[in-house]
């Protein structure tokens, strides 16, 4: 199916569309799923698999996602990853809804006609108004990739890694009007490896969150989840804000935050590299000096993979000089620390390991800026 035809099918949803093809089976409880980026696909896949089981008591009666947007390098207008997955699975386009806002009256009218017993959100990316939350019989539940009330907000994984947390987790909670403040139905805790990056951790947490959801669905549908859910302690809440200028869920961090300052200590920079992997990445400016010609060029590097230098040896030479040791570029940092950079990328080039980059200097010196 070409992209134009796919988009025509996808965008054709409006309040006047017939509901006959999306009317839920009377034998199963209708559930509406809301999600947008790639990590949400894991949750939708789990719901579809569970709903197709012979003993399933529910069905996915509709999917709500962000409107099509310009994505990828070609900047083509494409449906969200959730919408693309749903279409690939053969779900009819009039089962997929993409309102600009979840409070649009035409959309809410259609949602009421579907009579959902439950709504499930996983990185949907749109504020749910009271009018929406009052529609599903058993409420709306959200998969949130943190141990609530810690890291409420749109970028919990990124901010947790930036803070260097050693433990995190995923929570299944009821959705209320206050941001990520609803009672917690269930949660799961994980140790955080000091090398894991945001995309990998996000994938892990949403995968585990989908398992929590499937496990807890019976108690949500029979109403017992509301009595066992634990209210959050607002006094312990922390926030994980996104960049206000970006609403795309894959671009939650401002590009201005991407720059590394080697005046900071190595552990701060290492955690930033892990947190901002994927988007927007982390960047550093270095100076390449040719002693023979006297020329010097400022170069921008995308810093992809790092580790904290454990050596207690005092760095030789000038404090601004970058050295090469055992497959890594060693950058002097604040507080007498050093950061080992293992993988970099030059503008317009493919990523390369530190050895290939260093060999490409052909004896020229490297200084941090």
């Amino acid at each position: 199916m070409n992209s134009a035809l796919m988009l025509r099918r996808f965008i054709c949803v409006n309040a006047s569309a017939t509901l006959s093809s999306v009317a839920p089976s009377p034998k199963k409880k209708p559930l509406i799923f809301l999600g947008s980026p790639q990590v949400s696909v894991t949750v939708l896949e789990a719901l579809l698999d569970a709903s197709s089981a012979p003993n399933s008591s529910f069905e996915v009666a509709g999917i709500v996602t962000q409107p099509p947007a310009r994505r990828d390098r070609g900047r083509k207008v494409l449906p969200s990853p959730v919408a693309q997955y749903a279409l690939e699975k053969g779900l009819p386009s009039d089962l997929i809804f993409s309102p600009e806002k979840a409070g649009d009256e035409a959309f809410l009218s259609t949602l009421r006609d579907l009579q959902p017993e439950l709504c499930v959100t996983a990185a949907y990316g749109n504020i749910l108004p009271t009018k929406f939350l009052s529609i599903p019989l058993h409420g709306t539940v959200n998969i949130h990739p943190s141990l609530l009330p810690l890291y409420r907000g749109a970028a919990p994984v990124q901010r947790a890694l930036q803070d260097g947390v050693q433990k995190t987790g995923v929570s299944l909670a009821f959705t209320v009007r206050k941001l990520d403040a609803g009672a917690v139905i269930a949660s799961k805790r994980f140790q955080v490896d000091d090398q894991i990056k945001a995309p990998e951790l996000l994938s892990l947490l949403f995968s585990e969150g989908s398992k929590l959801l499937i496990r807890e669905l019976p108690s949500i549908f029979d109403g017992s989840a509301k009595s066992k859910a634990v209210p959050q302690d607002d006094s312990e809440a922390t926030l994980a804000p996104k960049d206000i200028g970006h609403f795309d869920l894959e671009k939650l961090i401002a590009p201005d935050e991407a720059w590394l300052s080697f005046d900071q200590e190595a552990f701060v920079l290492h955690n930033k590299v892990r947190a901002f992997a994927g988007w927007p990445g982390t960047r550093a400016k270095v100076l390449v000096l040719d002693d023979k010609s006297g020329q010097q060029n400022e170069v921008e590097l995308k810093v992809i993979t790092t580790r904290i230098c454990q050596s207690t040896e005092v760095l030789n030479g000038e404090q601004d000089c970058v050295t090469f040791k055992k497959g890594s570029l060693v950058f002097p940092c604040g507080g007498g620390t050093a950061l080992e950079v293992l993988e970099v990328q030059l503008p317009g080039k493919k990523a390369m390991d530190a050895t290939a980059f260093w060999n490409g200097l052909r004896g020229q010196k490297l200084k941090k800026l």
Side-chain angles (χ1 to χ4, degrees):
M1 180 186 300
N2 63 48
S3 58
L5 179 56
M6 182 170 65
L7 281 175
R8 283 199 296 274
R9 288 185 60 203
F10 179 68
I11 301 172
C12 70
V13 178
N14 55 61
S16 62
T18 178
L19 295 174
S20 60
S21 60
V22 295
S25 165
K27 296 181 181 180
K28 291 190 174 185
K29 298 177 176 66
L31 178 151
I32 303 295
F33 175 74
L34 299 89
S36 297
Q38 188 61 43
V39 289
S40 306
V41 171
T42 301
V43 183
L44 176 56
E45 183 178 19
L47 284 169
L48 291 174
D49 287 346
S51 68
S52 64
N55 60 345
S56 172
S57 64
F58 76 94
E59 66 178 356
V60 178
I63 295 168
V64 185
T65 189
Q66 288 286 333
R70 295 190 182 277
R71 307 177 194 279
D72 304 327
R73 291 184 177 181
R75 306 303 294 163
K76 294 180 180 179
V77 177
L78 296 172
S80 74
V82 161
Q84 287 179 310
Y85 174 80
L87 289 168
E88 288 168 3
K89 293 291 287 186
L91 276 72
S93 60
D94 55 358
L95 189 147
I96 304 169
F97 305 90
S98 57
E100 290 291 337
K101 295 181 179 179
D104 290 348
E105 282 302 327
F107 165 68
L108 290 176
S109 177
T110 302
L111 186 65
R112 291 187 191 99
D113 289 337
L114 289 171
Q115 299 180 330
E117 293 207 17
L118 178 68
C119 289
V120 172
T121 62
Y124 168 46
N126 213 331
I127 296 172
L128 301 179
T130 302
K131 288 182 179 180
F132 179 101
L133 297 176
S134 65
I135 293 175
L137 178 64
H138 295 294
T140 298
V141 297
N142 178 48
I143 295 176
H144 187 77
S146 81
L147 293 172
L148 291 171
L150 300 179
Y151 297 102
R152 293 176 178 175
V157 168
Q158 292 88 340
R159 298 308 182 188
L161 288 181
Q162 190 177 5
D163 289 346
V165 299
Q166 295 182 333
K167 292 181 180 179
T168 190
V170 59
S171 303
L172 181 67
F174 284 106
T175 300
V176 296
R177 279 292 292 148
K178 188 176 180 181
L179 181 66
D180 295 324
V184 177
I185 302 167
S187 62
K188 187 169 182 180
R189 184 183 300 265
F190 295 92
Q191 287 291 127
V192 179
D193 182 275
D194 64 3
Q195 289 296 125
I196 196 169
K197 299 176 183 178
E200 291 84 3
L201 185 54
L202 268 169
S203 179
L204 168 66
L205 294 180
F206 274 98
S207 176
E208 293 299 325
S210 66
K211 296 175 185 177
L212 279 183
L213 172 65
I214 300 303
R215 188 190 77 189
E216 296 296 333
L217 275 178
S219 69
I220 297 171
F221 280 123
D222 69 22
S224 61
K226 285 192 175 180
S227 60
K228 75 173 184 178
V230 179
Q232 294 185 43
D233 185 347
D234 288 346
S235 68
E236 295 183 359
T238 59
L239 297 179
K242 69 173 181 175
D243 164 39
I244 296 175
H246 286 279
F247 202 73
D248 188 331
L249 282 169
E250 311 238 345
K251 299 182 179 180
L252 296 173
I253 308 299
D256 289 346
E257 291 191 64
W259 293 102
L260 299 179
S261 172
F262 293 104
D263 293 336
Q264 295 180 302
E265 293 190 30
F267 78 92
V268 174
L269 301 180
H270 174 61
N271 289 335
K272 191 172 184 177
V273 171
R274 297 162 59 216
F276 296 175
W279 176 270
T282 43
R283 289 171 169 75
K285 290 182 179 179
V286 295
L287 200 63
V288 179
L289 299 97
D290 189 327
D291 284 343
K292 294 180 180 180
S293 66
Q295 290 185 334
Q296 56 184 38
N297 295 308
E298 183 178 304
V299 177
E300 178 184 317
L301 286 179
K302 183 174 183 180
V303 179
I304 299 174
T305 305
T306 60
R307 67 183 173 215
I308 300 169
C309 183
Q310 300 298 327
S311 174
T312 57
E313 296 178 10
V314 177
L315 295 171
N316 296 322
E318 299 178 45
Q319 283 300 305
D320 289 340
C321 283
V322 178
T323 57
F324 181 76
K325 182 180 179 181
K326 295 181 180 179
S328 66
L329 302 169
V330 182
F331 282 75
C333 301
T337 62
L339 183 71
E340 294 186 46
V341 175
L342 308 176
E343 190 178 11
V344 297
Q345 185 175 5
L346 289 164
K349 303 291 184 180
K350 293 182 179 180
M352 67 182 81
D353 61 33
T355 301
F357 176 78
W358 186 259
N359 290 340
L361 291 176
R362 300 181 183 279
Q364 298 177 101
K365 291 183 179 179
L366 196 65
K367 282 191 174 184
K368 66 178 187 178
L369 287 176

